Amino acid sequence: MLPEIIVPPPGSRSLALAAKLRAYEARGVTLIDPEFPIFWERAEGANVWDADGNRYLDFTGAFAVANLGHTAPAVRDAAIAQAGILLHAMGDVHPAALKADLCEALSRITFERWGLGAGKTFLANSGSEAVEAALKTALLHSGKPGVISFTGGYHGLGYGALEAVGIDYFRAPFRAQSARFGVQLPYPHCYRCPFECRDGFRLEGSPFPNCSTPCLEKLRSQIAATIEQREIGCILVEPIQGRGGEITPPRDFLRILREICDEYKVLLILDEIYTGFHRTGKFFACEHFGVFPDIICLGKALTGGFPLAACVGRSDIMDAWPASSGEALHTSTMLGNPAGCAMALASIREHEKDTTAAAARRTGRTLRLALEALSSPHIGQVRGVGSMLGVELIKTDGSPFPQLSVAIMYQGLKDGLILLGGGPAGNVLSFSPPFVVSEDEIGYLREKLQEYLTSLPGSIS
């Protein structure tokens, strides 16, 4: 059985690091108070050790990055080997050979795998950059600047990507500099339906709600009206929302988007930065729906820990870009970094193994059963797919209860659990653990969460 984990208050080294960060990091990034944050020193599997030697269980996967586990041996070894050979190349002039290998691999696991021909790739340093490459591609392909995105969506915080983000907290301070090319429409959310319909029901054995036809038809009409009124070049969407609170849309949502895009000659861009690489139990979340994009954005678990992302599109669409004349039209200094490419290739090889998909599904089933076994009037809904799960916390009147989410995160740290809150209101406990987390570790999580749900609500004013 898993030994009990007891973490003391932050030690001297953590307190010193917090003071240093407060002095030298720009405000608006890291929350610092007497009990937060912990400073990571090392990590392995589902375990993290902080600067004072305390051990934690990570149920966030470090923002859904460590799908294969922290310091996954194959990825770690690839990074070490590459660091001893070549750390940097001239990505858009004289690239590393690994850049070509990675672009080929990304075509193989996406459009070729779906039977749609070859794909072509823009490599990037972050998910936000990958999204912005996709938006640029849509404009060049269609000549139309408009973008439809959805409430609750999260696509990164660069100015291009920010225009498509559906969480107002991130957009409001910068609205005066907004390009205003985006249109936000409701993301179908059956627990808090934007069309005020009854809750969608789940088919037996399926995590996807079977939403009523009127809801999706209303959304179809809104999308069609927007396309007819504005110059829309693409629809950008997460097939399952991550930062928005693990929102699983109705089964027919992506199918309707695909139909609309085909009818109006609009590109469908799927942001699978969070959901990709078996996070939902399949290689990519769109495969649950049998719907495939024109462009897909990837990141996070692509490398398992190195800042590298990708925008991959069908070749005929990506060829809307003019051939380079010697001055790249879209590039960056670190484009196709050799260490990142080596790690991504190692990660892809691991994800192409049947054992990885099986581990993702097994972890998801065990975690879901543990979360569904919790008993509390403050649990509104347990939802999600695969190893991407959320628990929505509510007050007795059904309204969001973000204070409880925060209290659980703080108490969790004291008991050696790294937890994360999500959703626009901050009232969703989000779970995206490494696939190597054990049943005993999940059992420890369930035990502690039940304690928190029983003891903490009464102490929150």
Side-chain angles (χ1 to χ4, degrees):
M1 294 296 292
L2 184 75
E4 185 174 4
I5 299 173
I6 300 176
V7 178
S12 59
R13 192 159 175 233
S14 293
L15 292 174
L17 288 167
K20 182 185 293 186
L21 204 59
R22 183 184 291 109
Y24 295 109
E25 184 184 51
R27 298 197 312 168
V29 181
T30 305
L31 169 67
I32 298 176
D33 67 26
E35 298 180 318
F36 201 96
I38 62 169
F39 288 85
W40 291 27
E41 185 83 0
R42 64 186 179 93
E44 182 177 354
N47 294 274
V48 173
W49 288 264
D50 72 6
D52 292 296
N54 300 309
R55 174 193 170 205
Y56 301 81
L57 294 175
D58 175 22
F59 280 92
T60 73
F63 302 123
V65 167
N67 290 11
L68 299 173
H70 291 290
T71 324
V75 179
R76 176 200 61 207
D77 293 348
I80 292 172
Q82 185 58 42
I85 301 170
L86 179 69
L87 274 177
H88 179 62
M90 300 175 67
D92 68 333
V93 178
H94 301 299
L98 288 170
K99 177 187 172 187
D101 294 339
L102 179 55
C103 289
E104 178 186 41
L106 289 169
S107 174
R108 182 181 71 248
I109 64 173
T110 56
F111 293 93
E112 291 179 42
R113 187 161 164 271
W114 299 328
L116 299 175
K120 291 187 176 180
T121 291
F122 275 112
L123 294 178
N125 302 309
S126 69
S128 180
E129 290 181 19
V131 167
E132 291 177 352
L135 298 182
K136 284 184 176 181
T137 301
L139 175 59
L140 290 177
H141 181 265
S142 67
K144 299 175 182 178
V147 177
I148 291 175
S149 60
F150 295 88
T151 55
Y154 184 84
H155 306 289
L157 302 181
Y159 266 115
L162 185 64
E163 178 66 10
V165 167
I167 301 174
D168 197 53
Y169 170 82
F170 298 108
R171 298 178 64 184
F174 309 104
R175 194 158 282 129
Q177 292 181 328
S178 172
R180 301 181 190 275
F181 57 79
V183 178
Q184 296 272 312
L185 295 178
Y187 192 91
H189 180 357
C190 289
Y191 183 70
R192 298 188 182 278
C193 180
F195 301 104
E196 299 183 349
C197 295
R198 65 178 178 86
D199 286 355
F201 61 89
R202 267 201 301 139
L203 298 175
E204 187 66 30
S206 171
F208 301 102
N210 189 23
C211 195
S212 60
T213 300
C215 286
L216 290 180
E217 287 307 315
K218 288 179 183 178
L219 182 57
R220 184 198 289 268
S221 297
Q222 288 186 9
I223 296 171
T226 302
I227 293 173
E228 290 167 359
Q229 294 165 9
R230 300 186 58 163
E231 290 189 308
I232 299 296
C234 66
I235 295 176
L236 171 63
V237 64
E238 294 168 274
I240 300 168
Q241 286 192 343
R243 191 83 172 255
E246 285 68 44
I247 307 301
T248 305
R251 296 184 66 85
D252 289 335
F253 174 54
L254 283 194
R255 177 186 59 79
I256 287 173
L257 295 186
R258 181 72 272 176
E259 290 175 356
I260 291 172
C261 287
D262 291 342
E263 178 181 354
Y264 289 95
K265 309 302 181 188
V266 169
L267 296 186
L268 178 61
I269 301 173
L270 293 187
D271 180 343
E272 292 236 25
I273 292 163
Y274 195 117
T275 54
F277 299 97
H278 291 109
R279 175 48 58 190
T280 67
K282 290 187 179 288
F283 215 120
F284 300 107
C286 63
E287 294 168 4
H288 288 285
F289 306 94
V291 173
F292 306 111
D294 300 303
I295 297 173
I296 188 168
C297 296
L298 307 173
K300 291 188 180 290
L302 171 61
T303 65
F306 190 92
L308 187 145
C311 163
V312 190
R314 286 197 343 247
S315 291
D316 59 309
I317 290 169
M318 301 301 279
D319 284 345
W321 287 80
S324 174
S325 61
E327 184 65 50
L329 189 57
H330 182 86
T331 187
S332 66
T333 300
M334 301 295 176
L335 178 71
N337 176 271
C341 288
M343 293 173 69
L345 287 164
S347 175
I348 288 170
R349 286 192 291 270
E350 292 300 303
H351 279 283
E352 287 183 305
K353 297 177 179 178
D354 292 340
T355 51
T356 300
R361 292 191 290 269
R362 182 172 59 251
T363 297
R365 285 194 299 269
T366 304
L367 179 58
R368 186 176 199 111
L369 288 172
L371 297 177
E372 290 180 340
L374 297 172
S375 176
S376 171
H378 297 291
I379 294 178
Q381 186 183 46
V382 176
R383 58 174 176 257
V385 187
S387 299
M388 177 180 173
L389 300 172
V391 177
E392 176 149 352
L393 301 177
I394 59 172
K395 298 178 181 179
T396 53
D397 63 0
S399 62
F401 201 174
Q403 299 90 341
L404 180 56
S405 175
V406 171
I408 288 174
M409 283 190 290
Y410 270 74
Q411 186 60 47
L413 281 179
K414 296 176 183 178
D415 291 325
L417 294 170
I418 300 175
L419 305 173
L420 193 63
N427 67 311
V428 179
L429 289 175
S430 299
F431 299 91
S432 52
F435 304 155
V436 295
V437 68
S438 72
E439 287 190 25
D440 282 347
E441 289 167 336
I442 292 173
Y444 179 80
L445 170 75
R446 185 198 61 76
E447 174 189 331
K448 290 300 178 182
L449 286 178
Q450 187 61 67
E451 287 181 16
Y452 305 156
L453 289 166
T454 302
S455 64
L456 291 176
S459 64
I460 300 171
S461 58

